[in-house]
Amino acid sequence: MTGTEPRLSTARERAFEILEHGRRRDLASRILDWFLVAVILANVAGTIAQTQPEIEAAYGEDLQLFDRLCVLVFAIEYVARMWVAPEHPLLHKLSAARARLRFAATPMMVIDALAFVPLLLELAFPGVAYLRLTRLVRFLKLARYSPALATIGRVVAAERRALLACVIIIGGVMMAAAAAMHTVEGELQPERLGDMSKAMWWSAAMLAKIGGGELTPLTATGRIIAAITVMLGIFCFALPVAIIGRGFYEEIRRRDFVVTFAMVAHVPLFSQLDAASISDLVGILKARTVPAGTTIIRKSEPGDAMYFIASGKVTVETATGPIRLEEGDFFGEMALLTRERRTATVTAVKSTDLLVLDCDDFHRFLDRNPDIGAKVRAVAHERTATNQHASSGADQASTRTSSGAEPLSK
Ligand code: CMP
């Protein structure tokens, strides 16, 4: 290894983080994303504007110059993404060249290439007319910035077999309806049902409910076939919608599970649990992120849940003053154990990731995990003692909770 390689790798790692990783709190990555989104939108707007003869006549040259600048940005972006490709976790094991080749074949990189290659071809071979509207493919570059679009892609990929079955069902119904109508009324209405292609157009229009191509069945059997076709149309189109809807639900549940699973690892109380209990726990915990300043618990309100801090900080307003709880601590257990009202107000000091355990699940979980139950009770006991001690006017400076929380007033 030469002396310069580690530095190169660090710079490439950072560039990968900015370009590809897109962490929510990485300012550089967010600025770059917004810049690229702005360039894409401006470029697509420019391309559409250029199709207007008046605008083209007045600003044609400026728009062309702007288009070339945008393409330069897209080309630099493409080269930078190719450079950082070996940092991709899924391509780590490959050599840099193979990692880049693999990366270049991913759908988003193909779209990125289409954003600038046609113009390069135009410049290299003047006179060859490339379709100007292929530039609108650049709009697809926005897909990278829409996690929801990526979710749709994953859902469609996961449900591809069920969706293929739908296509086969719809095709089968369409053909059966067309064949029936062609047989019954083909001779009566040869212009519209005289051959299978015409009859298929009729059945497709009926199934999609865009009307029957202005065709009214002339016979009773024809009317029955048309009515059945319309009803089957509802079934045929409801099916893929239901499949995609269920796929979305599953995808979101899967993502919640992964997020919750990762958060559970931040709470030491759960460290002694075996894999099966953790998986049960992940099923009943809900992940919630609260911004700074949010009141999570209000004193004297009834208790409905307990909270674990996966990251961030909260303040508990006690009689001795504010007490800070941090990552790994928990709160909200006292009202659930005593079935009385909340003993203090708890507020987020900064953006805080919480795991929420509902009251019923709390009691069930403690019954099933007596060791954890004993620890939670011990902490609650100590907190109660601290609060009682404080309210009876004892020395305030000695207040420390068993969870390691420190009084802020110290
Ligand atoms: P609960 O009474 O349900 O709601 C307020 C929560 O604040 C309480 O449960 C405890 O989890 C927490 N709390 C109350 N007193 C203290 C204390 N002295 N130290 C740390 N946390 C406390």
Side-chain angles (χ1 to χ4, degrees):
M1 217 183 240
T2 70
T4 55
E5 271 178 350
R7 263 198 20 238
L8 176 73
S9 167
T10 317
R12 205 170 64 186
E13 266 171 41
R14 178 71 188 123
F16 172 75
E17 271 188 8
I18 294 174
L19 271 165
E20 294 287 337
H21 208 46
R23 279 213 198 101
R24 211 162 25 115
R25 293 185 182 128
D26 190 330
L27 186 65
S29 173
R30 271 167 52 191
I31 291 174
L32 181 75
D33 283 357
W34 282 114
F35 170 71
L36 290 172
V37 167
V39 174
I40 297 166
L41 289 176
N43 182 257
V44 170
T47 304
I48 293 171
Q50 264 183 301
T51 61
Q52 299 282 326
E54 324 82 78
I55 298 181
E56 170 69 7
Y59 306 103
E61 275 183 21
D62 298 337
L63 285 171
Q64 195 179 33
L65 181 67
F66 177 67
D67 186 67
R68 297 212 166 146
L69 281 176
C70 291
V71 167
L72 184 67
V73 172
F74 295 150
I76 294 172
E77 179 201 349
Y78 185 85
V79 172
R81 285 191 195 280
M82 289 296 273
W83 178 55
V84 302
E87 300 294 335
H88 201 289
L90 297 176
L91 305 172
H92 247 331
K93 292 201 179 113
L94 302 177
S95 68
R98 291 193 65 190
R100 289 192 177 113
L101 264 180
R102 266 293 167 83
F103 195 57
T106 58
M108 273 322 301
M109 287 307 280
V110 171
I111 291 172
D112 281 352
L114 286 175
F116 69 96
V117 171
L119 181 79
L120 292 188
L121 291 176
E122 256 177 59
L123 294 176
F125 307 102
V128 183
Y130 290 96
L131 256 187
R132 177 180 280 185
L133 287 181
T134 56
R135 292 182 196 170
L136 291 177
V137 169
R138 292 170 196 164
F139 192 72
L140 295 181
K141 277 168 72 66
L142 287 178
R144 176 174 274 121
Y145 306 99
S146 165
L149 213 63
T151 306
I152 293 180
R154 272 199 301 278
V155 169
V156 170
E159 301 295 339
R160 62 190 180 283
R161 287 193 189 85
L163 290 173
L164 181 68
C166 284
V167 171
I168 293 170
I169 292 173
I170 294 174
V173 170
M174 205 166 94
M175 269 193 268
M181 207 59 178
H182 170 66
T183 311
V184 174
E185 296 204 359
E187 282 177 12
L188 295 173
Q189 305 198 58
E191 268 161 40
R192 297 210 167 100
L193 298 167
D195 62 52
M196 265 305 272
S197 69
K198 289 175 182 161
M200 290 262 286
W201 167 245
W202 170 84
S203 66
M206 289 297 273
L207 284 173
K209 286 177 291 304
I210 57 168
E214 290 154 23
L215 177 141
T216 313
L218 299 177
T219 61
T221 318
R223 282 191 284 275
I224 292 171
I225 294 171
I228 293 174
T229 310
V230 170
M231 276 182 248
L232 285 176
I234 297 171
F235 166 78
C236 284
F237 287 97
L239 210 57
V241 171
I243 290 169
I244 299 263
R246 199 195 53 126
F248 258 108
Y249 172 73
E250 290 293 329
E251 177 69 22
I252 286 164
R253 244 174 49 116
R254 245 193 313 271
R255 206 171 47 195
D256 281 355
F257 187 89
V258 174
V259 170
T260 314
F261 203 90
M263 285 166 77
V264 164
H266 292 254
V267 182
L269 189 69
F270 301 137
S271 58
Q272 67 196 73
L273 289 175
D274 56 34
S277 310
I278 289 192
S279 154
D280 282 352
L281 182 67
V282 169
I284 54 174
L285 287 172
K286 286 183 200 79
R288 188 177 147 199
T289 300
V290 290
T294 309
T295 302
I296 305 160
I297 283 180
R298 228 176 270 279
K299 190 176 175 177
S300 303
E301 284 188 350
D304 55 355
M306 165 183 188
Y307 301 83
F308 301 89
I309 305 175
S311 75
K313 260 184 205 143
V314 301
T315 302
V316 184
E317 300 295 337
T318 68
T320 54
I323 287 185
R324 189 176 286 169
L325 299 179
E326 301 189 343
E327 180 175 318
D329 289 335
F330 57 82
F331 58 91
E333 78 294 351
M334 286 163 71
L336 303 193
L337 286 170
T338 58
R339 297 186 198 267
E340 286 173 11
R341 296 196 169 249
R342 296 292 195 191
T343 55
T345 293
V346 184
T347 312
V349 179
K350 58 181 193 174
S351 174
T352 301
D353 295 327
L354 296 167
L355 289 166
V356 187
L357 185 60
D358 282 345
C359 184
D360 291 344
D361 293 328
F362 168 82
H363 289 291
R364 233 171 285 141
F365 180 69
L366 259 50
D367 287 347
R368 270 195 230 136
N369 298 278
D371 289 352
I372 291 187
K375 282 187 187 163
V376 171
R377 282 191 189 90
V379 171
H381 190 73
E382 198 157 333
R383 287 175 177 174
T384 310
T386 306
N387 294 352
Q388 280 168 354
H389 192 61
S391 58
S392 65
D395 178 15
Q396 296 190 353
S398 66
T399 49
R400 273 181 80 88
T401 66
S402 64
S403 60
E406 289 176 30
L408 293 177
S409 49
K410 261 180 83 176

